[in-house]
Amino acid sequence: MRIRPAEVEDAPTIAVIHVAAWREAYRGLMSSEFLASLSVEKRTQQWTAALAQDSPILRLVIEHEGRVAGFCSSGPFRDEQLAMEEGVELYAINIDPNYWRCGLGKRLVEYVSDYYQQKEAKAIYLWVLNGNLRAMAFYESLGFLPDGRSKVDYGHAGEPLHELLFIRRLSA
């Protein structure tokens, strides 16, 4: 396994993983119509644009058996109130479903945690879709705990998505 910065050339592979992971992970949690409408072509365009720009966002891929098998992105917390707590946000972590339970997600989270600990961040936050028990168990196994805050996101699936905030404190 190798973790490295994502490059523009990775955009098509990241897009395929992104769509496949969402369709598998969110089955039963998001509408089947929305999941079926996810487009690898649109995601490729979005990832190509994102990876081509200079940004404070940390975008990584993890390679397994010589091929990109997952990705994550993280950076400044997008909620201004929480940004004052010197934390960062894990925006996305997606692994090719064929490689779930192989330790790739854990490796990415540990890499991100080490990276931000060296940058003196105090915590990593992430939003988890309420009802996504698999993701909640995964994050809890890595030391993330529910923060008690929640929000409703209307921007992703065209329907209200109830999300819970999780936090992992980083040691000083």
Side-chain angles (χ1 to χ4, degrees):
M1 286 186 249
R2 179 170 83 108
I3 296 173
R4 62 171 173 79
E7 300 171 354
V8 173
E9 297 78 23
D10 296 317
T13 304
I14 291 172
V16 168
I17 293 168
H18 201 162
V19 169
W22 272 47
R23 285 182 176 158
E24 184 67 24
Y26 296 129
R27 186 180 321 137
L29 298 171
M30 293 181 177
S31 75
S32 56
E33 295 82 11
F34 171 74
L35 293 174
S37 76
L38 294 175
S39 163
V40 171
E41 293 77 20
K42 286 182 185 176
R43 292 284 177 177
T44 299
Q45 292 170 358
Q46 292 167 344
W47 278 105
T48 299
L51 293 168
Q53 65 182 334
D54 285 332
S55 171
I57 296 173
L58 178 65
R59 296 181 178 99
L60 302 169
V61 294
I62 188 165
E63 295 177 349
H64 182 64
E65 299 174 345
R67 65 181 285 271
V68 173
F71 70 91
C72 71
S73 62
S74 59
F77 202 87
R78 296 174 284 188
D79 182 305
E80 291 178 18
Q81 292 175 342
L82 295 175
M84 293 184 288
E85 296 180 20
E86 298 180 25
V88 295
E89 183 176 355
L90 182 58
Y91 305 138
I93 181 168
N94 288 278
I95 305 298
D96 179 330
N98 295 312
Y99 292 100
W100 284 3
R101 295 182 180 81
C102 291
L104 302 179
K106 178 180 179 179
R107 291 278 302 269
L108 279 171
V109 170
E110 293 303 332
Y111 185 99
V112 168
S113 295
D114 291 346
Y115 175 86
Y116 285 114
Q117 190 166 346
Q118 291 175 11
K119 302 277 185 197
E120 300 183 1
K122 304 292 185 225
I124 298 177
Y125 295 90
L126 57 87
W127 293 100
V128 179
L129 188 60
N130 193 13
N132 191 346
L133 301 180
R134 180 183 348 197
M136 289 178 194
F138 169 72
Y139 292 122
E140 287 175 355
S141 77
L142 296 174
F144 286 86
L145 296 172
D147 172 84
R149 291 178 263 196
S150 62
K151 71 176 182 176
V152 179
D153 179 352
Y154 293 93
H156 279 90
E159 57 192 65
L161 300 175
H162 299 271
E163 297 178 308
L164 307 173
L165 186 63
F166 277 60
I167 181 173
R168 178 180 180 177
R169 297 271 177 217
L170 301 175
S171 54

